[in-house]
Structures are given as structure tokens and as C-alpha cells.
Amino acid sequence: MAVLAQTLRFALPQYDHFADQAGTAVAGAVLLAVYLAGLTGPLIRRAAGPRGLLLAGVGGLLAVRLLAQALTPQTWLALVGTAVGMIAVGALYEGARGLSGVGFATATVAGLSIDGAVRMAFATWDASWRSGIAPWLACLLFVGLGAAALYRELSSGAVAPPGVSWRDAFGAAAFGPFLALQVLVLSSPAFVASSGWQSLTGAHVVIVIGQGLALAFLASGLAVRAVPGGVCVLGGTLLGVGAGAIAGTYAVAGIEVVPVVIVGQVLSAWLLAVACRAPLRRAGAGGPVWRVDVGAATGGLLVGLILVSYQVSAMEPLPFPNNLLPGLAGVLLGALAAIAAARGGPLPARAPLRALTAGAAALALLLGTAVFTVAGPDGEAKAAPANGRIRVVSYNVHDAVGPTGRLNPEAIASTIEAQRPDVVLLQEAGRGSLLSGTTDVGVWLSRRLGMKLLWGPAADGQFGNAILTSLPVERSGTGRMPKGDWSQIRGYVWARVRVGAKTLDVWSTHLEGGSDQGDERAREVAGLLRAWGGAPRTIIAGDFNAEPGSAEISRMLDGTELRSAAPSGDPSPTTGDGRRVDWIFGTDDLLFGDYDVPRTPASDHYPVTVTVRIGR
């Protein structure tokens, strides 16, 4: 379970890179084929038997994880790994046959919980992207335990399969929406931190509480009670409404996220347990067992449809709000659970001591948070300037994913650090975005550089703009641009920082991309200028997706008392493909010097840097 989640996460940034290289249509067709790979399960079962299915799915997944650690994730490995992962979903049902639905759900929650704890120890930057002893130890721990479990399962012999009806077999598809919700929302510390306005440590504590309660509920015996299908549909609807309310472009944010995540963990674990009881049973009349493989493959396809569609919504408009995708996952989980809802066996006695033990065991998961707190990246920013001069950097960091598709926050941090900035204005700074494999890039950079993080959500709670600064912050705020369709919302974040005896307002923003979106950018510029209001001592910077001489840049300069920090006629491109779309503007009471655009491969944009002095 843990290795499957790790594989999906490292594959997500590579999908975006693949789409850039091959085109959206080709990438979509290839990804559809990859997520349908689980349908080869019946063919593998027929050719090599149930042991061959286990070896191909689970063994292949462990091999992919080792390769990812040795080679760092690459496009071909992401595609192969996802395909093998889809086969592994069916293999997991084969390996768990005879286990109750509660046992399967317990193993799933426990695996994801341990994966989350280890991930927190690496500050949410997955070990598969990193080199060194500690990442390799984490990899070998998961792969070694997985290999031992696989050997034990292969040695013990297959459990005789039951006859399974199509209705029962499709209970196996519930794993798909369950896993999509876990990756996107329920088990993502960066999601809870950015959407719930919590510290990353506090966010992981919330997740552990939810997982602990889920494990306690599963261990209590209450989860296997025979319930009407309508109750499962109601539970899935509540889960979907809650997930859709806190995830997506039009999501609520704040403390409301905390109870949704905690209750969502319990609800999703219960619904998975109910849905899986029929596909896992030992006996029964019906059709061939390969129907379970088809049901599991359908679940794998649902993972791709939900996660990839949500990822696409950060780049291309969908015909509906992306909040519907996590909402759909919850509803589907409830509907699939309803299939097997009334098919439980005798009701077991309640086990309060076992429930207490299972819930308390989750406290051990906080060890990852303890490691993060003690040994996480911890830089030290330089002291605030005394002469009124500060160094400002504006940088579109592309979710810390470089031109080759590699997730590497350290390369971004080193690039920023080389400029010795006092203020860093970031765009595309993901905090749990699927584009960065759900890494909290904002918090990681903040810790690594020793600077305060001011977060400005835009497209959703995980993708937006940010400010890093070592200066005292007096005030700050965020805003989002109005939209008339379901395409990506743009936004801005601003802060008033103290520079000696004076203050300076700094703004970071990112406008709509595309050569045919000039009118949209013009509306965004108008909104940005209204929000600024002409305040003195102001810097407005970011990725404007507009080149010199464009109507958008002219609107920023004409009659606004703003001017570009770049020297007149400076030809320096700010992107790897030669465009000049990243700008730093400042009011007339500021003096600019040492303007530079250092070329670095850390992102698809180059940082724009300038020294600013506040005039008298």
C-alpha cells in the first residue's frame, strides 16, 4: 500500500513533463492506456496463475520503487510504474483473499499511515527523489518488508477462490476512489497545512488523529455490522460533500478542514471495509474469480480519472469546477460500498481494548513529525539591512520541478540562496499540489532558507503565489482574480515589510498564460492595480505572461507611477525558451540597481533579481 502511494506520487510530476513534451492529446491517450493496465490481470492470471499475478503486480511494484531510488524518477519509469501499480491493485486482492474487509482496510490505512510518517521525516519531499543514506534506508525498509510479505504469501499457497458475481466483484473498485481521496486530501500533510492554515507539524497531527480513530473504529468490530446500502450511500455522500468543500478551486479554507479530514478518514476506511468484504471472501457461488481483477482494474482507472483530471485542472479549464472530482470520489466510494453493504457475516462482539490499542498505536506515527521538527531543513537568513537597501528576487519555481521533470526543491533553494535576497516573490509555489507530487514546496523552501512564508492560494489551496522574507512583516494579505468560467483562477499575495525606519509593500502575482489570453490578462492587471490602490513604496512582481510592448505591460506602466526595474532596452529572457515574461515593477520613490537574470536550470523560468533602495 505504501509503495503504491509512493509510486503514484512520484509519477504525477512526470505526467506534466510528458504532456509538455508529447502534447496533451498524446499524453492523455498514453495515460489512459497506462491506467487501464490493470485489465491485463485476468490474462496474467490465466497465463501464470495467481502466484504469477502476485509476482507481476506486487513484485514488479517493488522493483519499480528500487529503480526510482537508483535512477531518480523519469518519464518512462513513471509510466511503467503506474501501469505496474494498476496490476498490483488486483494482485493485492489476490494476496488478501480470506482476509476480511476490515482486515484489508486496516492494512491499507496502516500502510498509508506509515508512509505518511516516513514522508514527514523528509519534510514531504519524497525519498524517491532524493539521494543519500537516509532516503535509501527508507526505500530498503519498504521494499524489504514488501519482499518478505510477498515471499511469505507465495510460499503459503493460494487461497481457493470463490465464485463471484459481477455485483460483488465491483466492490473491489472501491479501492480506487479511496486511494484518490487519500493522495489528494486525507493523507496529504501539505493539503491540510495549506487549506487548513495549519503548520505542517499541526497538519500531520490532524491526519494521525484521523488515522488513529479509523484504526480504532476498524478494530472495534463495529465496521463489519451489516448495514443497508442506503446508509453507505449516505456516508459516501457526506464524505464527497466534505472533500469537495475543502478541495478544489472554490473550496472553503480554515479550521473547517480539520474535522472534515478527521471524520473523512474514519468514513473512508469504513466504506472500504464494507465494499471489500465480498471480493475477499473464501466461498460463494457465482462467476469466475477474474471478475475481481476486472473490478480492481476499474478502481485503478478511477484513481487515474480523478487524480489526472484534477491535475489537468491546474493547467487547462475543465467544463465543471474541479471540486466535483474529490466529491465524486466520495460518492463513488459510498455507492460501491452499498453493493456489498448487507453481505456481512455474524456480528462480532465489540472489542474496546483492541480499539484503544489500535488507536493508541497511531501515536507512533508522530515519530516522523518529530524527525521533521528536529532534523528538517533549517537555514538561517541574513540579518535585516540597516542602510535601507534590500535584495529582491521574483521567481516562478514551477512547483520545484525542473525542465526534465525532476522534483528538486534543493536546486530552487540554492538558486535563491546565491542571490542573498531579503525578499523572495514566488509563483507556482505548490503546497500539496499534484504537480509537485503533493510536496509542501513553500514550507520546505521556508525552512531551508530560514525565511518567513506568506502564502497566497490561487488556483486552489495548494497552487498559488508566496512571499519569503527575512524582514519584519507588519501586514499581509491575499486576493484572487474574478473568473467567469471554470479555468484556473489567478491571484496575488502581498506583505508590508519593515526596512529600517520605513516600510515597503511587496506583491507577488501570476497572470493568465497563452497568447490568446490578452483580454483576460488585461482584466487581471486592472484588478491588480485596483487592489494596490497606488500606495507608495511598492514593488509588484511576478510572471505576467506578457512581453515588452504588450498591452498588459503598458497598462502596468502608463499613468500608474510604476516603472520596470530592468534597465531600458535590457534584452534578458526570463524563460528557458527565450521569452521575457517575468517582471519587477516599482513605484517612483524606489531606486533600482544591480538588475540581473541569472540563468539556471532549476525551473522553466529564470529568477529576476534587483537591489532596491527606498528614496528619501
Side-chain angles (χ1 to χ4, degrees), residues 219-494:
S220 70
L222 297 174
V224 294
R225 286 177 172 270
V227 294
V231 175
C232 292
V233 172
L234 176 61
T237 301
L238 292 175
L239 178 61
V241 170
I246 65 174
T249 299
Y250 300 97
V252 299
I255 194 65
E256 298 93 334
V257 171
V258 171
V260 172
V261 169
I262 292 175
V263 174
Q265 286 281 2
V266 179
L267 265 179
S268 62
W270 167 61
L271 291 172
L272 180 66
V274 173
C276 291
R277 60 174 62 168
L280 292 170
R281 66 174 183 260
R282 290 173 179 265
V289 69
W290 57 259
R291 289 178 175 178
V292 176
D293 300 333
V294 175
T298 304
L301 177 62
L302 290 175
V303 172
L305 290 177
I306 294 167
L307 291 184
V308 175
S309 296
Y310 193 93
Q311 184 172 358
V312 167
S313 72
M315 300 170 287
E316 300 288 341
L318 298 177
F320 51 83
N322 59 358
N323 307 69
L324 290 181
L325 292 165
L328 177 64
V331 172
L332 282 173
L333 181 54
L336 291 166
I339 291 174
R343 300 182 176 234
L347 302 183
R350 298 187 183 184
L353 181 59
R354 189 170 63 180
L356 182 63
T357 302
L363 295 176
L365 301 172
L366 295 176
L367 179 61
T369 293
V371 173
F372 163 70
T373 303
V374 174
D378 193 9
E380 183 176 351
K382 66 178 183 177
N387 58 3
R389 292 175 181 266
I390 65 168
R391 189 72 172 163
V392 176
V393 173
S394 178
Y395 197 6
N396 181 329
V397 297
H398 197 238
D399 281 295
V401 177
T404 63
R406 181 181 179 185
L407 175 68
N408 192 353
E410 176 58 38
I412 299 293
S414 298
T415 298
I416 294 172
E417 194 173 42
Q419 303 305 313
R420 297 185 57 79
D422 304 286
V423 175
V424 185
L425 307 173
L426 299 175
Q427 301 86 48
E428 295 192 23
R431 296 197 60 199
S433 168
L434 297 182
L435 297 169
S436 62
T438 73
T439 303
D440 198 327
V441 174
V443 166
W444 196 93
L445 291 175
S446 172
R447 287 280 299 254
R448 167 66 174 77
L449 297 170
M451 305 177 87
K452 181 187 302 249
L453 170 67
L454 301 168
W455 168 241
D460 59 13
Q462 288 66 58
F463 185 85
N465 308 294
I467 297 174
L468 299 175
T469 183
S470 57
L471 303 177
V473 177
E474 293 194 351
R475 295 176 59 192
S476 65
T478 67
R480 301 169 86 187
M481 312 293 190
K483 293 288 288 187
D485 56 24
W486 304 124
S487 59
Q488 184 186 83
I489 289 182
R490 301 293 177 166
Y492 55 82
V493 57
W494 65 271

Side-chain angles (χ1 to χ4, degrees), residues 564-587:
S564 172
S568 178
D570 185 275
S572 305
T574 63
T575 67
D577 58 5
R579 295 177 300 139
R580 186 181 171 193
V581 295
D582 300 89
W583 296 83
I584 297 178
F585 301 104
T587 49

